Amino acid sequence: MTDKLQALDFIRDVEVAVSVELGRTRMPLRQVLELGLDAVVPLDRQVDELLDIYVNGTAIARGEVITEGDRFALRIVELAGDRRQGEAA
């Protein structure tokens, strides 16, 4: 296993885009154009659901928001590979 990890050493410094999806919704463009200050947009996710974590647009994990000092942070709770194994069982 360590040989495989060492083989990846040359790409460890490549920067990737990491994003977290809070939720989604669909609405007509008319409604989007009507959005203003204090508008509320309901999302398709419950408060206690884990958030999806993407690297370059590919889901790699799920996690929960935490605070670290005066900033938001993310705690990884489930890796995508773990989720697939759990679904197969």
Side-chain angles (χ1 to χ4, degrees):
M1 182 72 150
T2 56
D3 290 339
K4 288 181 183 179
L5 293 176
Q6 288 175 339
L8 295 175
D9 279 348
F10 71 98
I11 64 170
R12 290 187 184 273
D13 291 330
V14 173
E15 288 196 25
V16 295
V18 178
S19 58
V20 178
E21 184 174 281
L22 183 62
R24 294 180 181 205
T25 193
R26 293 183 64 89
M27 63 176 59
L29 182 56
R30 170 183 33 78
Q31 282 184 297
V32 173
L33 295 172
E34 292 171 357
L35 293 175
L37 293 177
D38 296 327
V40 175
V41 179
L43 301 175
D44 65 350
R45 195 173 306 250
Q46 299 295 316
V47 173
D48 59 347
E49 283 185 73
L50 297 176
L51 306 178
D52 296 319
I53 303 163
Y54 295 88
V55 171
N56 287 349
T58 300
I60 60 132
R62 297 180 77 194
E64 58 190 12
V65 174
I66 61 170
T67 57
E68 190 172 273
D70 61 349
R71 297 182 152 241
F72 288 113
L74 196 67
R75 177 181 293 128
I76 305 291
V77 174
E78 180 181 278
L79 296 173
D82 295 342
R83 185 173 40 210
R84 281 193 291 267
Q85 291 171 0
E87 290 171 359

